[in-house]
């Protein structure tokens, strides 16, 4: 049964996670135009490329019934990133990925949202394994993966157009997450 995307909403202490929509576009485009933010996320994107990426994410929700969530500050309604389940064709595994706008990085938002996303992937989507494809130089993402209890399972390959990216497969099984998430309850 298809999820009603207009009512899907996960709330944490400080955040709302919901499927992306057209109202996110300006912040989405600014996020993807930031060189530091996009260093490990496929490189800087033009506004036109950002529009296509947003539409691909919205489309993945329609086709798969899940994709990354828009990350919204509960107190202000501000869009600050995207995070959540991601599994495009030929991806090396069922991923929970993340990206937070630079002004909001380092404040614990990614961890808070990643925990909620991991729970969603295991409890609602029934995933038996979760990976995070991370560039070995992306120390902030490695630190977050470790905090979640994920381990480096070695190098993996991404499909085109990211086939030249060097990434490691960080991850854990459903059973490992069911144990690791206890520290966040």
């Amino acid at each position: 049964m298809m999820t009603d995307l207009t009512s899907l909403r996960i709330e944490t202490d400080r955040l709302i996670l919901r499927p992306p929509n057209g109202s996110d576009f300006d912040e989405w485009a600014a996020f993807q135009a930031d060189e530091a933010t996009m260093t490990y996320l496929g490189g800087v994107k033009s506004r036109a490329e950002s529009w296509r990426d947003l539409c691909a994410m919205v489309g993945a929700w329609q086709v798969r019934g899940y994709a990354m969530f828009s990350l919204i500050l509960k107190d202000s309604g501000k869009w600050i990133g995207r995070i959540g389940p991601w599994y495009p064709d030929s991806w090396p595994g069922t991923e929970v990925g993340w990206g937070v706008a630079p002004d909001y990085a380092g404040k614990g938002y990614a961890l808070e949202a990643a925990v909620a996303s991991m729970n969603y992937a295991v409890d609602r989507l029934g995933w038996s394994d979760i990976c995070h494809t991370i560039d070995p130089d992306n120390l902030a993402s490695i630190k977050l993966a470790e905090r979640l209890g994920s381990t480096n399972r070695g190098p993996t390959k991404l499909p085109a157009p990211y086939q030249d990216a060097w990434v490691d497969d960080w991850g854990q099984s459903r059973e490992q997450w069911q144990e690791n998430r206890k520290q966040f309850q």
Side-chain angles (χ1 to χ4, degrees):
M1 184 186 311
M2 188 61 122
T3 303
D4 176 10
L5 301 181
T6 59
S7 65
L8 179 59
R9 177 181 173 112
I10 298 170
E11 292 193 27
T12 67
D13 289 342
R14 303 178 294 165
L15 303 168
I16 297 167
L17 287 72
R18 60 151 175 79
N21 61 49
S23 69
D24 301 331
F25 179 57
D26 286 334
E27 286 93 357
W28 185 288
F31 172 87
Q32 291 201 154
D34 184 81
E35 188 172 349
T37 299
M38 296 302 291
T39 298
Y40 304 112
L41 300 176
V44 169
K45 306 284 181 167
S46 69
R47 190 167 169 86
E49 290 170 312
S50 292
W51 173 254
R52 289 190 292 276
D53 284 354
L54 174 63
C55 289
M57 198 66 68
V58 170
W61 273 101
Q62 294 297 322
V63 171
R64 292 232 193 249
Y66 63 85
M68 288 193 185
F69 297 101
S70 278
L71 189 54
I72 311 296
L73 288 178
K74 198 184 275 188
D75 64 356
S76 68
K78 173 104 173 116
W79 186 96
I80 64 165
R82 87 276 184 287
I83 190 164
W86 185 235
Y87 187 52
D89 185 61
S90 302
W91 211 249
T94 47
E95 178 165 21
V96 168
W98 47 77
V100 176
D103 290 347
Y104 302 92
K107 298 180 181 190
Y109 294 126
L111 176 63
E112 191 173 325
V115 168
S117 295
M118 298 276 285
N119 286 336
Y120 186 83
V122 166
D123 299 339
R124 294 281 306 273
L125 300 178
W127 287 3
S128 60
D129 188 78
I130 296 172
C131 76
H132 323 289
T133 55
I134 303 175
D135 184 297
D137 293 332
N138 187 346
L139 301 181
S141 281
I142 290 170
K143 183 177 175 182
L144 177 55
E146 289 174 333
R147 181 77 202 280
L148 293 167
S150 293
T151 58
N152 188 340
R153 302 184 290 195
T156 192
K157 294 296 279 176
L158 299 177
Y162 306 109
Q163 70 274 7
D164 294 330
W166 180 262
V167 295
D168 288 330
D169 171 12
W170 286 78
Q172 59 189 290
S173 69
R174 163 200 294 280
E175 294 77 21
Q176 288 169 319
W177 176 246
Q178 288 171 329
E179 187 61 32
N180 290 331
R181 70 180 170 186
K182 292 176 184 175
Q183 69 179 308
F184 303 109
Q185 296 173 342

